Amino acid sequence: MRNPEKFEKLIALISKFLKFISNKFDKTYVKYDLQGKINDYLRKVSNRTKHLDIKKINVEWIDVSEQTEKQFVQNGELILRLKKGDHQNENIVKASMAFISYAFLKKAKSYIAQYQRESMDLFACYDLLKEEKSEILDQFVQDFMKDKMDNKKISDFFEKYSDIDDVGIFYPVLVQELTFLGEKVFANKRDAQNIHKEVTELVNFLYRYANRKLREDIVNDFSGTYCKFGIRIIGRSIVINRDGERVYKNHLKKIAPENETLYLIGSYEHKKFINEVFNNCKDEIGYSKLMDDTYVATIKDKDGEDLKVMSYILTVRNDSIKVYHKK
């Protein structure tokens, strides 16, 4: 009950063996293998990004000749009605891309530019499939990615997403901010050109942040029409030993009024300290905890070389900002 995607994988495994006895188990295996893979990915993403609309997916097979493939949402569940292919690799790739295209950032993708939408779909689907067997990833490249990456705008964004993901902020910052953007513009008057421009500026901002060197002084605040946030590193040992919480609390009080969201990042060993800093000033700044996450980040050292570190991020949200469309 706590991990339904694991149960689906178990059913898929059992059905895989039973299908050798009878072909009627083939569709059961394919269905639960697909659902287990995609729901496992969705669970991981949901733990790193709040306010996603889809909680799980359900695959339904349709008649090859008489029905049309389609997707729709029902009670927070994405129903994928698909025609089953002869090869499971094709089924996995097709179902994964259908899920990403239809449900991932659905509100935001209705208003961002086509190349922004397609690059996001490609990267998210690549991330979903990258740990699968090499032939599955190759199937995805051949079926979807190869032609799209000939578009320079799409390939440029894809490469930037990769750098942003390496430092661990693709989902908890970029996808989160696009989720907020989607909530703000959904069913409201909006300026498409300004939205496209702001999304490009957002990606470029996070790309520059992802490629900063250790302790390099760069701009840490993004102030757009739809996205207003700050990223702050909390927990340098020299500052903790010298000033304790005081310097960090004073800084948060200063920047809180200008932002809607604050992303407080530091070493995992300083997780307790980061939470103490926030908890001791949250009422004064009017922010509440949205989520937190622990992850491995690949950052640049002072010489620009890659360095893997165990990191922690605490995301806090201004209490005056409302979620306009939760459903």
Side-chain angles (χ1 to χ4, degrees), residues 158-174:
F158 188 97
E159 292 172 6
K160 289 178 178 176
Y161 297 150
S162 182
D163 281 13
I164 293 169
D165 190 48
D166 282 345
V167 298
I169 59 174
F170 177 77
Y171 291 105
V173 181
L174 177 56

Side-chain angles (χ1 to χ4, degrees), residues 41-276:
Y41 168 81
L42 187 54
R43 178 184 60 83
K44 293 176 183 177
V45 173
S46 297
N47 288 339
R48 307 195 71 194
T49 305
K50 294 301 181 184
H51 304 155
L52 293 178
D53 293 332
I54 307 301
K55 304 303 179 186
K56 62 181 294 188
I57 72 147
N58 184 13
V59 175
E60 296 180 357
W61 301 122
I62 62 176
D63 184 85
V64 175
S65 59
E66 297 179 359
Q67 295 175 288
T68 302
E69 293 183 328
K70 64 179 180 178
Q71 301 84 41
F72 60 92
V73 178
Q74 184 175 351
N75 298 323
E77 181 178 79
L78 175 63
I79 311 298
L80 294 177
R81 289 187 172 168
L82 303 173
K83 296 176 182 178
K84 179 182 170 298
D86 293 332
H87 302 289
Q88 179 63 339
N89 290 352
E90 294 179 6
N91 290 317
I92 291 172
V93 169
K94 182 168 69 172
S96 299
M97 198 62 186
F99 156 66
I100 293 293
S101 299
Y102 185 83
F104 190 71
L105 288 173
K106 184 173 179 60
K107 292 188 181 77
K109 286 194 300 188
S110 298
Y111 306 107
I112 64 179
Q114 182 176 345
Y115 71 89
Q116 295 168 339
R117 180 170 63 251
E118 291 182 349
S119 64
M120 183 66 68
D121 285 349
L122 285 177
F123 186 83
C125 197
Y126 171 82
D127 187 59
L128 190 163
L129 298 172
K130 67 183 180 183
E131 295 182 5
E132 297 294 335
K133 295 181 294 184
S134 59
E135 56 263 34
I136 294 177
L137 194 57
D138 184 62
Q139 187 84 47
F140 168 66
V141 171
Q142 296 300 321
D143 290 354
F144 292 100
M145 194 171 173
K146 188 177 179 181
D147 290 338
K148 295 291 185 183
M149 291 294 279
D150 288 336
N151 183 312
K152 190 175 186 311
K153 288 184 177 180
I154 292 176
S155 61
D156 180 58
F157 265 52
F158 188 97
E159 292 172 6
K160 289 178 178 176
Y161 297 150
S162 182
D163 281 13
I164 293 169
D165 190 48
D166 282 345
V167 298
I169 59 174
F170 177 77
Y171 291 105
V173 181
L174 177 56
V175 173
Q176 186 65 75
E177 286 299 319
L178 290 177
T179 302
F180 290 149
L181 181 148
E183 291 170 351
K184 286 186 177 182
V185 302
F186 186 72
N188 288 306
K189 185 178 180 180
R190 57 269 174 189
D191 185 331
Q193 285 190 329
N194 281 338
I195 293 174
H196 301 170
K197 179 181 177 182
E198 183 159 329
V199 171
T200 296
E201 291 173 347
L202 171 63
V203 171
N204 288 336
F205 170 84
L206 293 177
Y207 173 72
R208 289 191 296 271
Y209 182 86
N211 283 282
R212 79 197 189 286
K213 295 180 181 179
L214 187 65
R215 298 193 178 93
E216 181 181 358
D217 187 20
I218 64 171
V219 176
N220 294 317
D221 295 278
F222 186 86
S223 183
T225 302
Y226 305 100
C227 303
K228 300 177 186 293
F229 65 89
I231 301 175
R232 290 298 184 275
I233 304 297
I234 290 184
R236 287 181 61 188
S237 297
I238 188 172
V239 179
I240 293 175
N241 295 331
R242 185 187 65 210
D243 301 310
E245 297 179 12
R246 179 182 57 82
V247 65
Y248 292 112
K249 289 193 296 184
N250 288 340
H251 186 64
L252 292 184
K253 292 175 188 178
K254 180 180 178 181
I255 66 172
E258 305 300 323
N259 290 288
E260 297 180 353
T261 312
L262 296 175
Y263 299 95
L264 311 180
I265 300 177
S267 170
Y268 176 71
E269 66 179 294
H270 295 137
K271 173 181 176 180
K272 182 179 178 181
F273 178 79
I274 294 172
N275 279 273
E276 287 175 348

Side-chain angles (χ1 to χ4, degrees), residues 11-26:
I11 295 177
L13 184 62
I14 295 171
S15 301
K16 184 177 182 179
F17 287 103
L18 290 177
K19 76 175 185 175
F20 291 105
I21 301 173
S22 173
N23 287 333
K24 70 179 183 180
F25 290 105
D26 183 49

